Amino acid sequence: MLVQDLINLINLEADELLDEDTDNIPYINQAIDYLSFTLCGMGDPEMINVMDITSNVDIPSNFVDFIPHNGYPIYIQTNKFWVMTSSGLPIKQVKYSIAKPHISTITDQVPFKDMYAGTLVLIASYLIKKKTYIPVEYCNEDKSFVSDVLTAIKAAKGVS
């Protein structure tokens, strides 16, 4: 899905509160971060990368955390991985969760599967409404609905 398509849906949900389509981009990026960290916490396969790690290797820019959190003899210092093995050999097939990349133009692709478009729309429109000082009751209803949607995603993925 293109960002422009997502913006069209956000404009319908948020009653076109923003003047320009590009004004939606920071809110979409916030929604991407929020959904990324939610899905990372659930161990969603879409949010997992695997790599071999040796000492003094730069941490990937999209790195969130190891899976499992304390499962590897590796530590992080000054944006580099360091291996704590006596052999110094690489640790193979290290799993880690990632954050999805931000978008910068309306012609970019949304970095999630289309099934998450509705959730991104809800989150972004909630943030827009909150920022433009829509009455608190209205924003609280949106916030509650977003929370319910994320709970439904967790339930569908079997995460409590």
Side-chain angles (χ1 to χ4, degrees):
M1 170 180 280
L2 287 176
V3 171
Q4 181 63 63
D5 298 328
L6 192 66
I7 290 171
N8 293 341
L9 294 171
I10 291 168
N11 284 338
L12 288 172
E13 175 64 27
D15 297 324
E16 299 188 30
L17 291 171
L18 302 176
D19 295 330
E20 300 292 326
D21 283 349
T22 55
D23 294 342
N24 287 278
I25 290 175
Y27 299 102
I28 293 170
N29 284 331
Q30 282 184 285
I32 287 169
D33 288 344
Y34 191 83
L35 187 56
S36 286
F37 294 129
T38 300
L39 293 174
C40 282
M42 289 187 250
D44 186 287
E46 185 176 345
M47 308 304 291
I48 296 173
N49 272 3
V50 177
M51 71 183 282
D52 298 340
I53 296 180
T54 58
S55 285
N56 202 25
V57 171
D58 290 335
I59 297 172
S61 61
N62 62 351
F63 176 86
V64 175
D65 199 4
F66 292 114
I67 301 172
H69 178 69
N70 292 321
Y72 301 101
I74 300 170
Y75 68 95
I76 296 171
Q77 186 175 16
T78 59
N79 292 325
K80 296 206 182 274
F81 290 125
W82 297 92
V83 175
M84 299 183 300
T85 60
S86 57
S87 66
L89 294 173
I91 299 175
K92 304 269 187 201
Q93 300 295 301
V94 175
K95 288 184 180 180
Y96 64 96
S97 55
I98 61 166
K100 291 290 187 172
H102 285 174
I103 51 101
S104 56
T105 67
I106 61 173
T107 58
D108 288 348
Q109 285 287 328
V110 174
F112 284 99
K113 294 176 186 172
D114 286 353
M115 70 183 216
Y116 290 117
T119 305
L120 290 169
V121 166
L122 291 172
I123 295 168
S125 64
Y126 162 72
L127 294 167
I128 291 166
K129 291 172 189 175
K130 183 179 167 195
K131 183 69 174 177
T132 55
Y133 306 108
I134 296 296
V136 172
E137 312 80 52
Y138 189 48
C139 286
N140 285 339
E141 287 178 19
D142 279 1
K143 183 178 182 182
S144 176
F145 187 62
V146 167
S147 177
D148 291 347
V149 168
L150 293 174
T151 300
I153 291 170
K154 286 180 182 179
K157 292 186 174 287
V159 177
S160 53

